[in-house]
Amino acid sequence: MLQKNLAKVAGLLVVLAFAIVTQAAAAPSISYRLSMPEPHTHYFEVEMSLSGFKGKTLDLTMPVWAPGSYLVREFAKNVEGFEAFAGGNRVAADKIDKNTWRIASGGKDVTVKYRVYAFEVSVRTSFIDASHGYVNGTSVFMYPEGNKNLPSTLTVVPFKGWKTVSTGLPKVEGQPFTYRAPDYDVLADAPIEIGNHQVFSFKTNGVLHEVAMYGDGNYDPKRLMADMQKVTETAVKVFGELPVNYYLFIVQNLERGGGGLEHLNSTTLQTTRTTYGTERGYKGFLNLVAHEYFHLWNVKRLRPIALGPFDYDQENYTNMLWVSEGFTSYYADLILRRAGYTSDSDYLEKLAAGITSVANSPGNKAMSPAESSFNAWIKQYRPDENSYNTNISYYTSGGVLGLLLDMEILKGSNGKSSLDDAMRYLYDQYYKKKGRGFTDKEFQQGVEKFVGHSLESFFRDFVYNTKTPDYSAYLTTVGVTLTDVNKNQNEPFLGAGISTATGKPVVTSVIRNGSAWQGGLNVNDEIIAVNGYRLSDDLNKSIPAYAVGDVLELVVNRSGQILVLPIKLLKNETVKYVASRVPTPTEAQKAANATWLHLQK
């Protein structure tokens, strides 16, 4: 009897093992092969292998945008030569919409081949030439529709002579330049630098940080690594933990341009080759490092609920980019101050400049920070000559709001808590415990927890509307006064931007309700003469010679028509704030200031 039971159990185990093997064999799998046989032609070649997918057809999709850069970029426009094979035979592959290809797979294993033209230099797109290749996942890799959650492997085949590949993806042991991704989101969120770039490294909190440096630059590697380490260590202290076991900085040193884009465990930074040669340029680069590194928490993990999991087919709307980007800008400045790279006077000067910028923008009266966030997809990356009048940047406005909320918490807690505490709480509650993003209301409630009272009026007036805060009252909390040095001046102001790039003075912008606006001056007008005299330079240079109330007679060429416009000069209503410390701060102000800045000794 015992032998019969053992035989039955053995038989069941065999059946179960067979079922498991069969199921595993049937599980869909995806692999990518990325090659670049002719980099000087600016093409990447992609071979995608898919097995275990059932059904008569298989749809492959190319994203239309890159997370972190809120603009539909239509990456499918760069795809060429798409062809598909099923069971070894070429099969029909029809494009059914702007970014989807339908393959007549017949349930068989599929291989897809296509090329991607990559010749746009930015942190948001992909690029390849004879010197290096750079890949942003959403602009190169497709995914099977409805199957973003599937794991995949990626094999990179560098151009001959290229020996280095840098990416945040984990390596497949024993297979050169082969990497794995648990799902498409991770694959898409791991940029790749390919070529013969230098790689430096340092450790922060015991975690390896590598810096892939493409291009020549006037940097001192030893100094730069030490300073980047200090910046990253200071950033970690805000949240109290480092949520990765590896981090990669891809730094591209170029002739011109700049910027950065955050990723799950990496970032791409672009700067000029000479930026490290001056203190201003060097600290500007460290600020960029601090900004993108802070995104490791704020947006990549602590995020608005709309920003993940992503819909790669269309816009992902949120009112909260003023937190995701604005707070990150605020903390980048704060991190450099805490780390000792910025003096107190320089830091206060930067704070005052940010407030001045927001206060002087006509768009500040036309659009709220929440509206600016929601409209990022159609406004932030598509500015025109009137944007200054109608739009406010969620970077600058959000940075100022971050400062004000920091002051709210410091005041409400009697200097015991700061915005750091609210950020840690939100990170713990929504990323770590609930595994999701926060709603607008949940974010407000998280901050209120440390203020000790309702912030309903703050969010209503300053986040969702365009009311001007009393900036001075907020900064008093840390013993800082804000003074408008333009307050008692009576100077004229034209209110128009003028370019002489073509050799002629041409109007490029007109500020709402300013002198030029009210006098009828238009963008693209060429100013020929002023008060009977020929003009060949920027008219703004001559304005200080006049007084408020003077009338300028401008002769302009507007689309070939000669017009005479009387422009009455109005008073310059712009502000210019200067921040300074009170001579004798109170004990409460000292305590709040210490909690705010956390200065390192």
Side-chain angles (χ1 to χ4, degrees):
M1 190 68 173
L2 180 60
Q3 289 180 337
K4 286 184 179 180
N5 288 337
L6 288 174
K8 286 182 180 179
V9 171
L12 288 172
L13 288 173
V14 170
V15 171
L16 181 61
F18 179 77
I20 292 173
V21 171
T22 302
Q23 184 178 7
S29 67
I30 307 170
S31 65
Y32 301 85
R33 184 178 186 272
L34 179 73
S35 59
M36 52 222 74
E38 297 180 305
H40 63 283
T41 64
H42 317 304
Y43 281 94
F44 285 110
E45 296 189 1
V46 180
E47 182 176 309
M48 187 177 180
S49 298
L50 307 103
S51 63
F53 288 86
K54 305 302 181 183
K56 295 182 178 179
T57 61
L58 177 64
D59 290 352
L60 296 184
T61 297
M62 173 75 84
V64 303
W65 68 290
S69 180
Y70 307 100
L71 175 69
V72 171
R73 297 180 184 276
E74 309 293 17
F75 292 129
K77 68 184 179 182
N78 294 321
V79 174
E80 297 179 26
F82 187 97
E83 55 183 353
F85 302 84
N89 298 313
R90 185 164 183 166
V91 294
D94 299 317
K95 196 172 184 184
I96 60 173
D97 60 34
K98 67 178 182 179
N99 64 322
T100 307
W101 286 258
R102 177 161 292 166
I103 302 163
S105 59
K108 299 177 181 178
D109 291 352
V110 171
T111 299
V112 168
K113 298 179 181 180
Y114 60 90
R115 295 184 298 157
V116 177
Y117 183 71
F119 198 53
E120 181 178 349
V121 179
S122 83
V123 296
R124 301 165 289 272
T125 53
S126 295
F127 178 89
I128 186 167
D129 67 4
S131 66
H132 79 127
Y134 172 69
V135 173
N136 241 315
T138 54
S139 63
V140 171
F141 301 121
M142 298 183 186
Y143 63 89
E145 188 65 38
N147 289 279
K148 289 188 301 179
N149 61 320
L150 292 177
S152 63
T153 60
L154 166 66
T155 299
V156 179
V157 183
F159 177 63
K160 60 182 180 181
W162 290 0
K163 299 175 182 173
T164 307
V165 176
S166 296
T167 180
L169 291 172
K171 297 177 181 178
V172 175
E173 293 300 326
Q175 300 182 41
F177 303 135
T178 301
Y179 308 88
R180 51 187 167 81
D183 54 43
Y184 182 80
D185 286 334
V186 172
L187 174 70
D189 207 17
I192 309 167
E193 179 68 31
I194 310 159
N196 289 317
H197 51 276
Q198 290 185 294
V199 178
F200 305 104
S201 67
F202 60 87
K203 285 189 176 182
T204 292
N205 287 40
V207 173
L208 177 65
H209 288 55
E210 290 191 323
V211 183
M213 295 288 279
Y214 163 75
D216 295 328
N218 59 344
Y219 57 87
D220 175 348
K222 186 175 180 180
R223 178 193 181 194
L224 186 58
M225 293 308 104
D227 290 339
M228 290 178 71
Q229 180 183 29
K230 192 172 184 180
V231 167
T232 56
E233 288 174 344
T234 306
V236 171
K237 291 177 182 178
V238 177
F239 290 92
E241 69 172 25
L242 190 51
V244 294
N245 55 21
Y246 170 77
Y247 192 87
L248 172 68
F249 290 94
I250 296 174
V251 182
Q252 297 176 348
N253 299 287
L254 309 172
E255 179 184 2
R256 65 178 70 90
L261 189 66
E262 69 276 5
H263 297 280
L264 191 63
N265 68 338
S266 62
T267 184
T268 301
L269 312 177
Q270 290 184 343
T271 189
T272 60
R273 301 183 184 111
T274 58
T275 195
Y276 315 93
T278 65
E279 279 303 298
R280 180 177 180 180
Y282 188 75
K283 289 178 181 178
F285 179 74
L286 291 182
N287 189 279
L288 180 61
V289 169
H291 182 107
E292 299 305 332
Y293 194 72
F294 195 77
H295 274 314
L296 180 59
W297 297 271
N298 193 32
V299 103
K300 297 315 299 183
R301 288 162 179 84
L302 173 61
R303 57 178 174 77
I305 201 164
L307 297 184
F310 297 116
D311 182 345
Y312 295 104
D313 280 341
Q314 59 188 349
E315 297 85 349
N316 292 224
Y317 294 103
T318 175
N319 293 320
M320 303 295 284
L321 293 182
W322 63 273
V323 173
S324 298
E325 290 295 351
F327 277 29
T328 304
S329 294
Y330 170 63
Y331 267 102
D333 294 339
L334 194 56
I335 286 167
L336 259 61
R337 175 69 190 111
R338 290 176 177 177
Y341 292 105
T342 307
S343 67
D344 191 62
S345 60
D346 287 344
Y347 181 61
L348 294 181
E349 181 181 344
K350 196 154 191 177
L351 286 185
I355 295 172
T356 298
S357 175
V358 170
N360 285 337
S361 171
N364 187 37
K365 297 299 182 185
M367 178 178 286
S368 71
E371 189 180 1
S372 174
S373 300
F374 193 86
N375 283 325
W377 298 92
I378 58 174
K379 288 185 176 289
Q380 178 69 25
Y381 295 96
R382 290 173 175 163
D384 59 28
E385 66 283 347
N386 198 40
S387 292
Y388 186 64
N389 293 320
T390 62
N391 193 26
I392 184 71
S393 167
Y394 48 77
Y395 284 87
T396 52
S397 62
V400 170
L401 288 175
L403 168 66
L404 300 188
L405 284 174
D406 214 349
M407 298 301 107
E408 283 274 13
I409 295 173
L410 288 163
K411 182 179 180 181
S413 67
N414 296 316
K416 295 177 181 178
S417 300
S418 71
L419 187 59
D420 290 17
D421 297 282
M423 297 295 278
R424 276 194 298 269
Y425 170 78
L426 289 162
Y427 172 79
D428 182 68
Q429 288 295 308
Y430 295 103
Y431 168 66
K432 295 181 68 176
K433 292 183 179 179
K434 297 184 179 180
R436 65 169 174 85
F438 52 76
T439 65
D440 296 21
K441 193 65 178 178
E442 287 169 340
F443 176 81
Q444 179 181 329
Q445 291 169 342
V447 178
E448 286 174 341
K449 182 178 178 67
F450 296 90
V451 175
H453 60 76
S454 171
L455 289 172
E456 195 64 35
S457 61
F458 182 100
F459 278 78
R460 181 192 63 237
D461 293 343
F462 308 142
V463 175
Y464 299 104
N465 283 291
T466 59
K467 188 174 179 180
T468 300
D470 184 347
Y471 300 113
S472 296
Y474 279 95
L475 289 173
T476 298
T477 302
V478 290
V480 172
T481 59
L482 202 63
T483 305
D484 176 15
V485 296
N486 284 354
K487 185 174 181 180
N488 298 319
Q489 295 186 8
N490 190 37
E491 296 179 346
F493 185 59
L494 179 62
I498 297 173
S499 171
T500 58
T502 63
K504 302 174 182 179
V506 177
V507 179
T508 56
S509 62
V510 179
I511 298 175
R512 176 170 289 166
N513 295 326
S515 306
W517 177 285
Q518 294 193 15
L521 196 64
N522 285 2
V523 169
N524 295 329
D525 283 353
E526 175 198 346
I527 305 177
I528 300 173
V530 180
N531 293 344
Y533 290 91
R534 190 81 166 86
L535 182 71
S536 59
D537 204 353
D538 183 353
L539 177 58
N540 285 295
K541 295 179 180 179
S542 303
I543 295 302
Y546 297 95
V548 173
D550 286 351
V551 177
L552 305 183
E553 186 176 84
L554 303 188
V555 179
V556 304
N557 169 16
R558 180 177 297 167
S559 299
Q561 183 180 10
I562 304 300
L563 303 174
V564 178
L565 301 177
I567 306 292
K568 183 178 180 179
L569 292 177
L570 306 177
K571 180 185 175 182
N572 183 358
E573 300 289 352
T574 62
V575 299
K576 184 178 180 180
Y577 288 118
V578 172
S580 58
R581 294 283 181 184
V582 296
T584 54
T586 65
E587 291 303 312
Q589 288 172 330
K590 290 179 182 178
N593 188 70
T595 302
W596 176 37
L597 295 181
H598 289 299
L599 295 181
Q600 298 182 13
K601 305 230 176 156

